[in-house]
């Protein structure tokens, strides 16, 4: 009788675990491995989908995914202060690192020179005057 009870408990547990696991939601955003020579990469912070960037790995240009007035996805350029102009880039040079701790721990790195920018909020010129927006500013 004792063995039979143990088998029933084991069977119930075996059936219940997959059901419980399916109900759990992952807190980690999905990512892919960028091919070594890929020009563009999409980076998303684990903090929020709002921190989704498209990086041109060749010249360091950064775009942020936003919704326009029509609620459509658009890429909007993020200012990168003192970004070097690279004539005819031939290989990837830039990368973005984003931490799961805070948006301010998001960095743009020039892998050739080591120059590093950090993501901050700053006043930027707009058609209407100025507005607070994300900006990559050098700190090294």
């Amino acid at each position: 009788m004792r063995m039979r009870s143990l088998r029933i408990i084991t069977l119930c547990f075996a059936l219940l675990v997959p059901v419980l696991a399916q109900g759990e939601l992952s807190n980690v955003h999905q990512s892919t491995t960028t091919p070594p020579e890929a020009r563009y990469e999409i980076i998303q912070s684990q903090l929020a989908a709002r921190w989704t960037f498209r990086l041109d790995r060749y010249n360091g240009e950064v775009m942020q995914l936003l919704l326009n007035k029509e609620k459509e996805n658009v890429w909007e350029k993020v200012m990168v202060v003192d970004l070097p102009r690279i004539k005819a880039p031939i290989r990837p040079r830039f990368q973005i690192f984003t931490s799961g701790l805070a948006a301010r721990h998001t960095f743009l790195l020039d892998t050739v020179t080591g120059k590093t920018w950090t993501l901050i909020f700053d006043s930027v010129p707009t058609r209407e005057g100025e507005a607070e927006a994300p900006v990559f500013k050098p700190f090294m």
Side-chain angles (χ1 to χ4, degrees), residues 1-135:
M1 182 74 168
R2 186 173 176 175
M3 276 304 268
R4 185 174 179 192
S5 296
L6 184 58
R7 284 184 194 151
I8 291 172
I9 291 171
T10 303
L11 179 62
C12 288
F13 184 74
L15 294 172
L16 186 59
V17 169
V19 171
L20 291 174
Q22 288 175 359
E24 293 180 18
L25 295 177
S26 173
N27 214 8
V28 178
H29 297 286
Q30 298 300 312
S31 64
T32 59
T33 302
T34 305
E37 295 303 314
R39 179 159 189 149
Y40 296 97
E41 178 177 19
I42 293 178
I43 301 97
Q44 185 178 65
S45 170
Q46 292 181 351
L47 296 173
R50 138 180 200 188
W51 300 113
T52 301
F53 301 100
R54 183 183 72 190
L55 170 66
D56 183 324
R57 297 172 62 214
Y58 282 56
N59 67 20
E61 181 180 273
V62 180
M63 308 289 272
Q64 183 179 15
L65 182 64
L66 298 173
L67 289 176
N68 64 14
K69 292 177 183 177
E70 291 79 30
K71 304 288 187 207
E72 300 167 325
N73 286 326
V74 293
W75 290 113
E76 187 171 300
K77 190 170 186 171
V78 176
M79 183 185 302
V80 180
V81 177
D82 296 333
L83 182 66
R85 293 197 187 271
I86 300 166
K87 295 182 181 180
I90 58 171
R91 63 182 171 82
R93 177 173 175 158
F94 293 89
Q95 69 181 55
I96 288 180
F97 168 83
T98 181
S99 164
L101 299 176
R104 67 185 173 94
H105 297 299
T106 300
F107 304 101
L108 173 66
L109 173 69
D110 181 333
T111 63
V112 173
T113 67
K115 185 171 184 175
T116 307
W117 293 260
T118 187
L119 183 65
I120 64 163
F121 281 93
D122 203 359
S123 293
V124 296
T126 66
R127 293 177 188 167
E128 294 81 30
E130 287 193 349
E132 287 285 309
V135 176

